[in-house]
Amino acid sequence: MKVSVVISACDNRVPMFDRALDTWACQTMPKDDFELLVVDDARRDTLRDLCQAKARAIGLNIQFIRIDKAKSVIPVKSFIPALTKDRKSVV
């Protein structure tokens, strides 16, 4: 894996995400060289389902990460997750 791309889902804009994922599928970089980390701070099952469907249909490496805003300690306008090397922890 050479590149990890973080995409923040700040609104429920599934059609926009659909086009964005199609664009990533057309990149000249081999699909094994990058991953898409889609971070969602709400319960958007339609977005999760879209990511799973695109991963299967197009062969993209998409990781869907759901952040629970209810457990946030400090309210923030934006959130930039930093994943640990094992990809199991968000800091």
Side-chain angles (χ1 to χ4, degrees):
M1 190 70 52
K2 294 181 181 178
V3 178
S4 294
V5 179
V6 178
I7 304 172
S8 174
C10 58
D11 249 335
N12 195 9
R13 297 182 180 169
V14 173
M16 180 184 70
F17 262 85
D18 189 26
R19 289 190 306 274
L21 295 176
D22 286 340
T23 300
W24 277 103
C26 295
Q27 296 300 311
T28 56
M29 179 183 284
K31 291 178 183 152
D32 292 339
D33 286 351
F34 68 92
E35 66 180 348
L36 303 177
L37 305 174
V38 178
V39 182
D40 185 22
D41 65 356
R43 307 272 295 149
R44 295 184 184 93
D45 291 335
T46 53
L47 183 58
R48 184 199 63 219
D49 295 345
L50 171 69
C51 290
Q52 290 173 346
K54 289 289 183 175
R56 283 190 304 269
I58 300 174
L60 290 174
N61 182 4
I62 303 173
Q63 305 297 320
F64 189 81
I65 303 164
R66 183 167 281 156
I67 304 296
D68 187 357
K69 286 195 315 186
K71 294 181 180 177
S72 297
V73 177
I74 302 170
V76 294
K77 290 188 177 190
S78 62
F79 178 74
I80 301 173
L83 295 175
T84 60
K85 196 169 188 171
D86 65 0
R87 302 227 186 270
K88 294 180 182 174
S89 304
V90 179
V91 292

